[in-house]
Amino acid sequence: MAEQPTGSEANLSPIEARQEKLLQPLEPSIISPEKLENARKIIENDKAIKPFWVKKYKNESAKNWDRFYKRNETRFYKDRHWIEREFTIYKQQPTDTDNDTVATESSSPSVLKCLEVGCGVGNFVFPVLERNPHLFMYACDFAPHAIELVKQHEAYKEERCLAFVCDLTKDALTDTIAAGSLDVVSSIFVLSAIPVEKLEAAVRNIKDVLKPGGMVCFRDYAVYDAAQVKFSSNPGHMLDTNLYVRQDGTLSLFFSTEQIRELFEKEGFTTLECEYVHRETINRAMDISIDRRFLQAKFIKQ
């Protein structure tokens, strides 16, 4: 039975309670060994679908994401106001610059130059730009319609943000961004949309535009997350080990700390942080708790 709300939490509406919870820092993963073992058994009993469909879904991934954004527009994802809490590098830092000065692409070296890969419709980009005027943001996605929606946003201004279409696995970021010029690249629930065999190319692409000492801020789905257990509990979604297809044809890959650390370190990054974190979601109508498990990391280019 789910734990009952106490104190001030009991006076909040369901929406207010959810918003309050989202503002709290994620906790280290403390899912019980029993739950993890149960998840492992369910996942190991699942089987991949036929090779023809595996190949089809992998090849059509970008097309299916574009259809997703055409269908959902800006309605699906919420703005990610938690970014600065988890990745403090995005917070506005005191500078010698006048507080009214706004960063542009050609601003002084004190400006933080960033890229968000897989930017979607800007749920990360615009909250960060609003809070930190000393930051310039590049934003890319392999779904053309998503980039159109970013450019149509009322806060989109080319002097502070440049959005462009790019498939990380095959389009060179250096065609748009100067090599070795960025301070930070964010990858937030992005690499999970890419088949395993294409991940090295994507990470190498990111590395090319980072400065030495530049940081990758990473968060994505982790193995044994409730969503993975749900996939495996309903056979017909598994394409490969820890890789699944949703009903709309988009992909979802679940990472282990060992896998993601090896992926980045192989391309010359140093691991600063890499750990499982979790969020317990309470469905009060059904009186159940759901264990969401994510992987959060920071990598530094050597």
Side-chain angles (χ1 to χ4, degrees):
M1 187 171 182
E3 181 181 349
Q4 297 302 310
T6 59
S8 60
E9 186 183 4
N11 298 321
L12 299 176
S13 69
I15 293 177
E16 290 171 333
R18 181 176 184 275
Q19 290 174 335
E20 181 70 20
K21 187 143 190 164
L22 289 174
L23 291 174
Q24 302 304 314
L26 285 173
E27 300 174 358
S29 186
I30 53 173
I31 300 174
S32 70
E34 293 79 13
K35 285 187 176 180
L36 288 178
E37 178 61 16
N38 182 59
R40 183 189 65 79
K41 288 179 178 178
I42 293 172
I43 292 164
E44 287 187 354
N45 285 332
D46 199 4
K47 295 180 180 180
I49 60 177
K50 293 181 178 181
F52 169 83
W53 292 105
V54 172
K55 183 177 180 180
K56 177 179 174 64
Y57 284 126
K58 286 183 176 182
N59 289 340
E60 295 181 356
S61 179
K63 183 193 300 184
N64 288 329
W65 274 110
D66 201 47
R67 288 172 177 166
F68 170 89
Y69 287 113
K70 286 180 179 178
R71 182 170 60 254
N72 293 289
E73 298 278 308
T74 60
R75 298 182 295 272
F76 195 83
Y77 295 113
K78 304 297 182 184
D79 283 350
R80 291 168 173 165
H81 294 288
W82 49 264
I83 292 293
E84 291 175 339
R85 182 194 68 223
E86 300 295 333
F87 300 110
T88 56
I89 193 169
Y90 289 106
K91 285 186 177 180
Q92 181 178 344
Q93 303 296 326
T95 68
D96 296 330
T97 310
D98 189 314
N99 288 335
D100 293 331
T101 302
V102 175
T104 64
E105 186 178 9
S106 58
S107 294
S108 70
S110 62
V111 168
L112 197 68
K113 291 188 177 181
C114 309
L115 163 68
E116 189 195 14
V117 295
C119 65
V121 297
N123 299 106
F124 165 92
V125 171
F126 296 114
V128 171
L129 286 173
E130 180 182 6
R131 286 176 172 79
N132 191 343
H134 304 297
L135 180 152
F136 182 87
M137 182 72 74
Y138 293 94
C140 70
D141 200 285
F142 63 7
H145 194 70
I147 295 301
E148 288 178 23
L149 292 170
V150 170
K151 292 182 175 181
Q152 291 169 13
H153 195 285
E154 60 183 3
Y156 182 77
K157 295 178 174 57
E158 289 192 351
E159 61 268 21
R160 294 213 57 209
C161 179
L162 178 61
F164 59 101
V165 176
C166 176
D167 182 337
L168 276 182
T169 67
K170 61 182 181 181
D171 301 330
L173 287 168
T174 51
D175 288 345
T176 302
I177 305 169
S181 64
L182 299 183
D183 300 290
V184 192
V185 175
S186 58
S187 174
I188 311 297
F189 300 107
V190 175
L191 296 191
S192 55
I194 298 174
V196 176
E197 61 270 20
K198 296 183 179 181
L199 289 175
E200 287 185 10
V203 173
R204 197 174 304 122
N205 206 356
I206 289 170
K207 178 185 176 183
D208 288 344
V209 292
L210 270 174
K211 297 175 180 177
M215 179 184 291
V216 174
C217 295
F218 176 92
R219 185 193 282 186
D220 224 314
Y221 302 111
V223 289
Y224 307 145
D225 175 44
Q228 183 180 16
V229 175
K230 185 176 180 180
F231 278 131
S232 286
S233 298
N234 298 276
H237 296 277
M238 185 177 178
L239 305 187
D240 204 339
T241 303
N242 298 325
L243 178 65
Y244 302 82
V245 61
R246 301 182 180 92
Q247 286 188 329
D248 61 6
T250 60
L251 305 186
S252 185
L253 177 63
F254 296 83
F255 293 99
S256 67
T257 53
E258 295 81 6
Q259 178 188 10
I260 207 68
R261 184 191 293 267
E262 180 182 355
L263 176 65
F264 277 88
E265 290 183 355
K266 185 176 181 180
E267 296 303 326
F269 286 87
T270 299
T271 301
L272 190 62
E273 296 176 11
C274 187
E275 62 181 356
Y276 297 117
V277 292
H278 94 287
R279 167 93 54 208
E280 182 186 29
T281 301
I282 306 294
N283 186 324
R284 302 203 184 281
M286 299 180 66
D287 197 25
I288 59 173
S289 65
I290 301 171
D291 294 309
R292 298 310 312 270
R293 195 171 193 240
F294 308 116
L295 197 159
Q296 189 159 297
K298 297 175 184 174
F299 302 99
I300 303 296
K301 178 180 175 179
Q302 296 179 351

